[in-house]
Amino acid sequence: MKLLAIETSCDETAIAILACSGDEKNARFKILGNALLSQIELHREYGGVFPALAKREHAKNLVPILDAALEEGELLHEDTQAIPADKRDAIAKLLEREPGLEEQFFDFVSECEPPAIDAIAVTAGPGLEPALWVGINFAKALALLWEKPLVAVNHMEGHVLAALAREDSEDLVIKDIALPVLALLISGGHTELVLMKNWLEYQLIGQTRDDAVGEAFDKVARMLELPYPGGPEISKLAEMARESDDTSEFTLPRPMIHDATCDFSFAGLKTAVLNLLKNRTDISDTDKKHLAHEFENAVGDVLWKKTARALEETGAQTLVIGGGVSANKHIRRVFTDAVAKETPHVSLRIPTASLTTDNAIMIALAGYYRALRQDLAELEALKANGNRSLA
Ligand code: KG4
Ligand code: ZN
């Protein structure tokens, strides 16, 4: 099955086309085309993702990204297409709230043959609703025009499946997975431990009671006057401190580390950083490095302790870490070392770096798993849901 997948939940506009085969227990994915445009540079001056700007940029970039993905997949064949008036009207109505998109859309599709794809998958949530809607309306327009089935994807399921996937020559494969799977999902909007007992059935084991861990990275980075997104910046400084073997002169709390639940809290950690900085008139580069180092250590300690508790409580056989924060070197190291030492019976899977932050390949993986179950979306009923949850 050839699947075209669209991701616009946050500040990445991405489309991927994958040839998917096999079943849940043994699936293979050939990446035919993969185009992604990050808006990070544009949002940087706002110190975070600005939803109205994200929406406008998605609308501007979807057609060029589609063009690039189809081209790479050798699925683009020029030909003049007549679009029947009823379809044209329905599509115009779908795209009327996305300025500029309608014209670009018709210019593009009236010059190319319908591509040889079998279905269209699109992120339906969680994420920023205005941003999600652009992708959804675009997917609906394509599905209507090319008469393809639509699949609605939960963005977090995409992160879970991307973390389960392994590279196999040029392909991705999901196979030999021992259930239950425990997933630690850490991103800008989420911090949760989710158990997948059977394929695609989830149970929430723990979650943050306040800030998401990515949000904490971003906020602490702002306090240290580092640019957005803060995660990679903090990581860079902390790695420098580790390399020079400095011991940090700061001590930060490990919130809720001894509490008897699998829940997290990061607001206190952020406030602790703020309090340390309050008593300083000037913050030197060395201070920044030391703070980043200690902050990352505190986050790594809490994430592992809570995950270890969840592993013990659930008897999970496989552990995956997904979401943007799983790109963090220190966290990857902490988990790799701790699993080897403390829970060697558990198989740890961390996605390859390019699959950790938002992309459309992960949406295609989840879209395929949903399509295998005939879990298709009705065009009329498909809606963005910013808070869509897994469990
Ligand atoms: O999954 P993602 O790309 O988007 C959301 O769905 O939120 O995650 C973005 C988050 C941001 O908060 C960013 O600072 C964080 O992931 N992040 C990192 C790293 N790379 C990205 N946090 C820590 N270390 C990193 N290397
Ligand atoms: Zn994400």
Side-chain angles (χ1 to χ4, degrees):
M1 173 192 281
K2 280 198 191 121
L3 203 66
L4 183 143
I6 303 169
E7 155 67 31
T8 65
S9 70
C10 192
D11 59 352
E12 255 93 34
T13 316
I15 295 186
I17 305 164
L18 272 66
C20 319
S21 58
D23 58 23
E24 287 175 346
K25 295 193 182 102
N26 189 354
R28 177 171 286 274
F29 304 89
K30 191 173 283 302
I31 300 161
L32 304 175
N34 181 31
L36 182 145
L37 207 108
S38 170
Q39 306 170 6
I40 281 180
E41 293 302 329
L42 293 172
H43 293 283
R44 196 161 272 162
E45 65 176 291
Y46 300 96
V49 180
F50 184 35
L53 176 63
K55 175 185 152 78
R56 198 183 72 204
E57 287 297 309
H58 288 312
K60 192 168 93 189
N61 296 321
L62 273 168
V63 170
I65 291 283
L66 173 68
D67 188 348
L70 287 171
E71 179 88 58
E72 189 191 344
E74 293 176 7
L75 289 159
L76 195 61
H77 302 292
E78 281 186 25
D79 189 22
T80 309
Q81 299 288 312
I83 301 168
D86 56 337
K87 272 192 184 173
R88 186 176 273 274
D89 290 349
I91 291 168
K93 200 160 169 32
L94 278 172
L95 301 180
E96 72 188 357
R97 286 208 233 143
E98 324 301 347
L101 182 54
E102 182 188 330
E103 199 188 328
Q104 263 199 86
F105 182 89
F106 284 121
D107 283 352
F108 179 73
V109 297
S110 55
E111 297 285 318
C112 72
E113 275 178 22
I117 55 163
D118 301 293
I120 297 169
V122 62
T123 307
L128 301 169
E129 280 191 11
L132 288 163
W133 270 118
V134 187
I136 290 175
N137 285 330
F138 188 68
K140 286 184 179 184
L142 290 175
L144 216 152
L145 178 74
W146 293 337
E147 297 175 2
K148 306 290 178 194
L150 265 177
V151 187
V153 170
N154 183 310
H155 181 89
M156 301 317 281
E157 187 161 78
H159 277 307
V160 173
L161 292 176
L164 287 172
R166 278 199 175 151
E167 281 175 25
D168 184 58
S169 51
E170 301 275 281
D171 300 350
L172 289 173
V173 293
I174 299 181
K175 64 172 186 183
D176 305 328
I177 307 290
L179 298 175
V181 172
L182 179 73
L184 172 68
L185 300 174
I186 40 180
S187 69
H190 286 80
T191 301
E192 54 195 31
L193 280 159
V194 177
L195 189 70
M196 185 173 84
K197 268 194 193 154
N198 299 305
W199 283 101
L200 313 193
E201 287 170 27
Y202 306 94
Q203 186 189 338
L204 186 65
I205 303 297
Q207 63 185 323
T208 182
R209 297 200 179 159
D210 39 60
D211 292 354
V213 64
E215 198 181 345
F217 265 99
D218 295 338
K219 285 179 178 167
V220 167
R222 208 182 306 175
M223 292 175 205
L224 300 180
E225 294 159 354
L226 303 169
Y228 173 85
E233 302 292 328
I234 296 227
S235 173
K236 247 184 267 166
L237 290 181
E239 289 297 315
M240 278 189 225
R242 280 189 197 95
E243 272 159 29
S244 57
D245 252 348
D246 283 3
T247 40
S248 179
E249 57 188 279
F250 301 107
T251 315
L252 290 170
R254 270 70 174 153
M256 287 178 71
I257 198 162
H258 298 301
D259 147 285
T261 70
C262 295
D263 285 348
F264 306 88
S265 164
F266 292 102
L269 186 54
K270 179 191 68 188
T271 313
V273 176
L274 195 65
N275 286 338
L276 281 176
L277 294 175
K278 243 186 217 157
N279 305 324
R280 292 177 173 256
T281 43
D282 181 38
I283 161 158
S284 68
D285 287 349
T286 310
D287 289 343
K288 287 187 188 179
K289 269 187 241 169
H290 286 182
L291 262 173
H293 184 190
E294 172 63 5
F295 172 77
E296 229 181 43
N297 285 347
V299 170
D301 288 355
V302 175
L303 289 177
W304 169 250
K305 267 287 173 303
K306 293 293 179 172
T307 304
R309 175 182 283 277
L311 284 172
E312 198 181 316
E313 283 180 9
T314 60
Q317 300 295 301
T318 303
L319 171 64
V320 301
I321 318 179
V325 183
S326 64
N328 184 274
K329 276 190 196 160
H330 174 68
I331 295 171
R332 292 165 92 96
R333 250 185 336 246
V334 165
F335 275 71
T336 308
D337 295 349
V339 166
K341 224 185 281 164
E342 297 175 39
T343 58
H345 61 285
V346 171
S347 155
L348 172 67
R349 307 228 174 181
I350 308 182
T352 51
S354 61
L355 285 182
T356 52
T357 43
D358 292 350
N359 62 81
I361 291 173
M362 69 186 222
I363 303 309
L365 303 186
Y368 180 61
Y369 272 66
R370 288 291 160 186
L372 278 177
R373 295 193 170 195
Q374 293 300 319
D375 191 353
L376 303 176
E378 290 296 331
L379 198 116
E380 294 281 318
L382 174 53
K383 289 192 166 53
N385 177 357
N387 297 316
R388 193 178 168 115
S389 69
L390 265 186

